[in-house]
mmCIF file of all heavy atoms in Angstrom:
data_model
loop_
_atom_site.group_PDB
_atom_site.id
_atom_site.type_symbol
_atom_site.label_atom_id
_atom_site.label_comp_id
_atom_site.label_asym_id
_atom_site.label_seq_id
_atom_site.Cartn_x
_atom_site.Cartn_y
_atom_site.Cartn_z
ATOM 1 N N PRO S 1441 21.823 7.966 -4.042
ATOM 2 C CA PRO S 1441 20.845 7.053 -3.466
ATOM 3 C C PRO S 1441 20.040 7.740 -2.368
ATOM 4 O O PRO S 1441 20.603 8.442 -1.512
ATOM 5 C CB PRO S 1441 21.706 5.926 -2.906
ATOM 6 C CG PRO S 1441 22.915 5.927 -3.755
ATOM 7 C CD PRO S 1441 23.176 7.365 -4.097
ATOM 8 N N ALA S 1442 18.742 7.535 -2.399
ATOM 9 C CA ALA S 1442 17.851 8.218 -1.445
ATOM 10 C C ALA S 1442 16.729 7.287 -1.067
ATOM 11 O O ALA S 1442 16.176 6.580 -1.925
ATOM 12 C CB ALA S 1442 17.296 9.479 -2.084
ATOM 13 N N VAL S 1443 16.375 7.267 0.208
ATOM 14 C CA VAL S 1443 15.318 6.399 0.662
ATOM 15 C C VAL S 1443 14.499 7.106 1.731
ATOM 16 O O VAL S 1443 15.023 7.951 2.459
ATOM 17 C CB VAL S 1443 15.904 5.049 1.159
ATOM 18 C CG1 VAL S 1443 16.602 5.224 2.498
ATOM 19 C CG2 VAL S 1443 14.853 3.982 1.242
ATOM 20 N N LYS S 1444 13.204 6.765 1.795
ATOM 21 C CA LYS S 1444 12.334 7.329 2.803
ATOM 22 C C LYS S 1444 12.089 6.336 3.906
ATOM 23 O O LYS S 1444 11.860 5.141 3.642
ATOM 24 C CB LYS S 1444 10.986 7.740 2.183
ATOM 25 C CG LYS S 1444 9.880 8.041 3.225
ATOM 26 C CD LYS S 1444 8.595 8.530 2.590
ATOM 27 C CE LYS S 1444 7.406 8.316 3.570
ATOM 28 N NZ LYS S 1444 6.161 8.916 3.068
ATOM 29 N N VAL S 1445 12.099 6.790 5.152
ATOM 30 C CA VAL S 1445 11.894 5.954 6.287
ATOM 31 C C VAL S 1445 10.629 6.443 7.012
ATOM 32 O O VAL S 1445 10.477 7.654 7.176
ATOM 33 C CB VAL S 1445 13.115 6.007 7.262
ATOM 34 C CG1 VAL S 1445 12.845 5.235 8.510
ATOM 35 C CG2 VAL S 1445 14.344 5.499 6.544
ATOM 36 N N GLU S 1446 9.758 5.527 7.381
ATOM 37 C CA GLU S 1446 8.511 5.925 8.018
ATOM 38 C C GLU S 1446 8.313 5.198 9.330
ATOM 39 O O GLU S 1446 8.408 3.977 9.411
ATOM 40 C CB GLU S 1446 7.325 5.649 7.068
ATOM 41 C CG GLU S 1446 6.000 6.227 7.521
ATOM 42 C CD GLU S 1446 5.223 5.302 8.445
ATOM 43 O OE1 GLU S 1446 5.192 4.087 8.187
ATOM 44 O OE2 GLU S 1446 4.679 5.783 9.448
ATOM 45 N N ALA S 1447 8.078 5.941 10.371
ATOM 46 C CA ALA S 1447 7.765 5.382 11.671
ATOM 47 C C ALA S 1447 6.823 6.356 12.384
ATOM 48 O O ALA S 1447 7.082 6.759 13.517
ATOM 49 C CB ALA S 1447 9.056 5.163 12.487
ATOM 50 N N ALA S 1448 5.799 6.746 11.647
ATOM 51 C CA ALA S 1448 4.806 7.701 12.148
ATOM 52 C C ALA S 1448 5.545 8.954 12.625
ATOM 53 O O ALA S 1448 6.434 9.431 11.924
ATOM 54 C CB ALA S 1448 3.934 7.098 13.237
ATOM 55 N N CYS S 1449 5.207 9.499 13.801
ATOM 56 C CA CYS S 1449 5.846 10.744 14.276
ATOM 57 C C CYS S 1449 7.293 10.491 14.658
ATOM 58 O O CYS S 1449 8.005 11.440 14.998
ATOM 59 C CB CYS S 1449 5.061 11.329 15.453
ATOM 60 S SG CYS S 1449 3.348 11.640 15.022
ATOM 61 N N GLY S 1450 7.725 9.216 14.667
ATOM 62 C CA GLY S 1450 9.131 8.893 14.933
ATOM 63 C C GLY S 1450 9.938 8.757 13.672
ATOM 64 O O GLY S 1450 11.089 8.295 13.704
ATOM 65 N N SER S 1451 9.412 9.193 12.544
ATOM 66 C CA SER S 1451 10.100 9.020 11.257
ATOM 67 C C SER S 1451 11.440 9.733 11.189
ATOM 68 O O SER S 1451 12.403 9.214 10.630
ATOM 69 C CB SER S 1451 9.206 9.521 10.110
ATOM 70 O OG SER S 1451 7.991 8.764 10.063
ATOM 71 N N GLY S 1452 11.490 10.921 11.767
ATOM 72 C CA GLY S 1452 12.729 11.719 11.704
ATOM 73 C C GLY S 1452 13.880 11.016 12.434
ATOM 74 O O GLY S 1452 14.987 10.880 11.913
ATOM 75 N N GLY S 1453 13.601 10.566 13.636
ATOM 76 C CA GLY S 1453 14.611 9.841 14.396
ATOM 77 C C GLY S 1453 15.046 8.558 13.694
ATOM 78 O O GLY S 1453 16.206 8.170 13.686
ATOM 79 N N ALA S 1454 14.040 7.880 13.119
ATOM 80 C CA ALA S 1454 14.322 6.626 12.417
ATOM 81 C C ALA S 1454 15.170 6.874 11.170
ATOM 82 O O ALA S 1454 16.030 6.068 10.829
ATOM 83 C CB ALA S 1454 13.019 5.914 12.038
ATOM 84 N N ALA S 1455 14.933 7.990 10.502
ATOM 85 C CA ALA S 1455 15.737 8.322 9.317
ATOM 86 C C ALA S 1455 17.184 8.597 9.737
ATOM 87 O O ALA S 1455 18.115 8.176 9.042
ATOM 88 C CB ALA S 1455 15.148 9.536 8.590
ATOM 89 N N LEU S 1456 17.365 9.309 10.830
ATOM 90 C CA LEU S 1456 18.729 9.561 11.311
ATOM 91 C C LEU S 1456 19.434 8.232 11.613
ATOM 92 O O LEU S 1456 20.601 8.031 11.256
ATOM 93 C CB LEU S 1456 18.717 10.431 12.588
ATOM 94 C CG LEU S 1456 20.053 10.568 13.281
ATOM 95 C CD1 LEU S 1456 21.150 11.089 12.351
ATOM 96 C CD2 LEU S 1456 19.938 11.516 14.494
ATOM 97 N N ARG S 1457 18.692 7.325 12.246
ATOM 98 C CA ARG S 1457 19.292 6.017 12.576
ATOM 99 C C ARG S 1457 19.678 5.248 11.324
ATOM 100 O O ARG S 1457 20.741 4.620 11.277
ATOM 101 C CB ARG S 1457 18.288 5.230 13.408
ATOM 102 C CG ARG S 1457 18.942 4.340 14.409
ATOM 103 C CD ARG S 1457 17.996 3.712 15.354
ATOM 104 N NE ARG S 1457 18.307 2.298 15.422
ATOM 105 C CZ ARG S 1457 19.473 1.795 15.822
ATOM 106 N NH1 ARG S 1457 20.428 2.581 16.255
ATOM 107 N NH2 ARG S 1457 19.674 0.495 15.825
#
Side-chain angles (χ1 to χ4, degrees):
Chain S
V1443 73
K1444 167 176 159 174
V1445 175
E1446 189 273 318
C1449 303
S1451 299
L1456 171 55
R1457 213 171 131 62

